[in-house]
Amino acid sequence: MLPLLTLLQLLDIWTTHKCLSRSNTVESNPILAKLFGKIGVLPALILMKGSYIALLWWAEKYVPVELLYAIAAFYVWVVWNNLRVLSR
């Protein structure tokens, strides 16, 4: 499960960066949007998603597998939505 979650985070970084490279898209997460303004889009994405990946790998033994599936499903939707935005 963790390799899949890691892949989804990497895909989220890539698709979010591609989306935000367009002038007509904005980040919907207010925390990330604020961090983008402070340190830049790609550094903020790598910092936040890298930290999240590390936390997931560390906490795997404490997190119910059902929650990991729910997280994976959510990020499948996030990546799908980013790809949908890119296809417009």
Side-chain angles (χ1 to χ4, degrees):
M1 178 57 67
L2 288 177
L4 173 62
L5 288 169
T6 301
L7 176 63
L8 288 167
Q9 292 303 302
L10 295 173
L11 288 170
D12 185 21
I13 290 170
W14 180 73
T15 58
T16 299
H17 187 259
K18 289 293 235 184
C19 285
L20 294 174
S21 296
R22 297 176 167 195
S23 61
N24 62 339
T25 58
V26 294
E27 175 59 48
S28 59
N29 179 330
I31 296 167
L32 270 178
K34 191 169 191 169
L35 195 56
F36 290 166
K38 291 190 183 291
I39 66 171
V41 173
L42 196 53
L45 285 169
I46 292 169
L47 175 68
M48 294 298 287
K49 299 300 181 172
S51 299
Y52 187 62
I53 291 167
L55 177 65
L56 284 172
W57 281 82
W58 174 80
E60 176 197 20
K61 59 186 166 232
Y62 307 109
V63 178
V65 70
E66 296 83 8
L67 180 57
L68 295 175
Y69 280 114
I71 292 168
F74 173 74
Y75 278 100
V76 165
W77 177 83
V78 167
V79 171
W80 173 81
N81 187 59
N82 287 347
L83 290 171
R84 190 176 55 82
V85 168
L86 285 170
S87 71
R88 288 187 203 157

